[in-house]
Amino acid sequence: MEQLDWIVIGLYFVLLLGIAAWVMSKKQKDTQDYFLAGRNVGWFVVGASIFASNIGSEHLVGLAGAGADSGMPLAHYELHAWIVLLLGWVFLPFYARSGVFTMPEFLERRYSPKARWFLSILSLIGYILTKVSVSIYAGGIVFQSLLGMDFWTGAILTLVITGIYTVVGGMRAVVYTEALQTFILIGGALAVTYIGLDHEAIGGWSGLKDIVGSSHFNMWRPADDPKYPWTGMVFGGAIVGIWYWCTDQYIVQRVLTARNVKEGRRGAIWGGFLKILPVFLFLVPGMVAFALSKQGVLQYNDANEVLPTMVKTLLPAGIRGLVAAGLLAALMSSLASVFNSCSTLFTIDIYKKLRPAESETRLLRIGKIATAVIVVLGFAWIPVMKNAPGTLYDYLQSVQSYIAPPITAVFLLGILSKRINAKGAMATLYIGFGIGLFRLVLDTMVTFNPGREFSGILGDIIAIPFSHFAIIIFVISLCILVGVSLSSAKPSAKQVEGLALGTLTDEQKADVKNSYSWVDIVTSGLIVVIITAIMLYFTG
């Protein structure tokens, strides 16, 4: 890093903290202000926030590494922009109508308090063990690879800077700083892609295809592929995608900040368009790095270091500093998002349930304390993450494939059918989570004992690709949900009113119809066309 790079990085952080300070100067009156930015955010900021929240460590460190390691199969997960459209068109009207802060709160409205407790605790544990710890870990890697700092110093810097403006500024600080970070990140990643492709050792797009081979450019691996079968990528990936994009607090909280359903839906459409970009921002640079390594131009010891190594090796001074700022921006925006979501879940779904009479002032204070505690717990898990083999992206997708299916089933059928009841939901959550946890334990035993082999039925289970296993859990979850619900009493009309299809009043139907126009329909259709074209192109 040269002096100009440090100047650019410094200017970026001054601008970032300036925006955060401006937001912090706005007095936070209550929990709606702190956790949902007063429900007064416009579509442009909502969409940028969705994108910046999603683009975190698993992309900067893991997805670029996956592009270098295996090429395009994981693009299926990045082309889930159509599922972001489902959030805006299908799920958001029900969430907004219920007036909830959190997704567990919605489950309580639709089903029962037990469903809320289950999802609250499961989400908090999952966030701490995956999103928080992985983001801090990736921050340490980026600081170490790019800026030459000690790993732990980089991890602590990532933690402290992000923690301060998240704890003090709340959701408004998160979404407005994310809007800035989105465009710095896109500009930086495009610079890496362009300069890498333009390198004389590659010679452009056609040269890249010749060097890496058609297998790297093929999204569609055979259905019996042991790692990335196309059936699992398409169907299993969709199951995980609906959970992540339409039911996970981490993402849904962004559209709940919108001033109305129309702004929230347009934010989801804008976020869906931006979601197409990671294929070209991270997977393609990963393939470029693989090509440069084959040509002897670039060297990396670990696939997780691909993108920082490219920035350090290929880019000129000044641009290198800007891109470094973009990488750090994405890490911090992802971390800030999960900090705020964890704080919201703990304060609204756990603390307020235990102490319903607490004042808004007290709840605000608890929310900030909860964020600080989550920061510490996530940091404590980093030594475990450092020992996990493979790319971070593979690790996160496999874990999510085991926990997502029952949650997807409960939310999706709960909205689509008024007959699904609380008994069916709880049976599905308990059994579905138990199956996923069982597979996760088996995977963990193999991961940390590479020489260990299972025989018999355990060997057959462990051999199933994680994406196919997601389909199996989902089908079992659907059977349990429908079977138990139909064999027990249906929920009362009052309980499901406005929360499931077939229960909307004429006025509610009119509100939905008035919340969109032909512009929203056309732009949504355009996104689907672009996704289809990309899928047809990357066939090897």
Side-chain angles (χ1 to χ4, degrees), residues 9-20:
I9 292 173
L11 289 174
Y12 161 73
F13 278 108
V14 168
L15 181 59
L16 177 71
L17 294 175
I19 292 174

Side-chain angles (χ1 to χ4, degrees), residues 7 18 41 68 88 91 147 231 314 325 331 344 377 411 428 461 480 495-496 533:
I7 291 173
V41 178
F91 288 84
L147 307 182
T231 45
L314 300 179
L331 286 170
T344 307
L377 292 175
F411 271 90
T428 301
I461 291 173
I480 294 170
Q495 181 178 358
V496 297

Side-chain angles (χ1 to χ4, degrees), residues 270-347:
W270 173 225
F273 174 75
L274 293 174
K275 178 58 186 165
I276 298 171
L277 299 179
V279 171
F280 305 99
L281 297 180
F282 303 109
L283 275 172
V284 171
M287 291 195 293
V288 170
F290 176 68
L292 290 173
S293 70
K294 289 186 72 172
Q295 301 297 91
V297 177
L298 194 71
Q299 291 184 339
Y300 52 86
N301 299 318
D302 184 346
N304 288 326
E305 298 176 359
V306 162
L307 197 58
T309 302
M310 289 183 71
V311 172
K312 183 172 62 176
T313 306
L314 300 179
L315 301 186
I319 296 179
R320 186 190 303 124
L322 179 64
V323 176
L327 298 183
L328 297 172
L331 286 170
M332 290 189 296
S333 66
S334 177
L335 195 54
S337 299
V338 74
F339 281 167
N340 191 265
S341 295
C342 286
S343 174
T344 307
L345 284 171
F346 178 81
T347 307

Side-chain angles (χ1 to χ4, degrees), residues 62-138:
L63 187 56
D69 188 46
S70 55
M72 291 300 295
L74 286 172
H76 284 286
Y77 287 104
E78 295 312 305
L79 293 175
H80 280 162
W82 67 271
I83 299 178
V84 189
L85 299 179
L86 285 185
L87 171 62
W89 286 101
V90 178
F91 288 84
L92 176 59
F94 291 98
Y95 295 156
R97 195 177 298 117
S98 67
V100 298
F101 278 67
T102 69
M103 294 300 93
E105 187 180 2
F106 180 80
L107 281 194
E108 180 179 41
R109 300 278 180 90
R110 177 61 182 84
Y111 294 116
S112 69
K114 286 183 180 179
R116 180 177 185 172
W117 277 106
F118 184 93
L119 187 58
S120 300
I121 294 171
L122 177 63
S123 298
L124 274 175
I125 294 172
Y127 286 163
I128 291 168
L129 300 186
T130 56
K131 289 184 171 71
V132 174
S133 54
V134 168
S135 294
I136 301 171
Y137 169 65

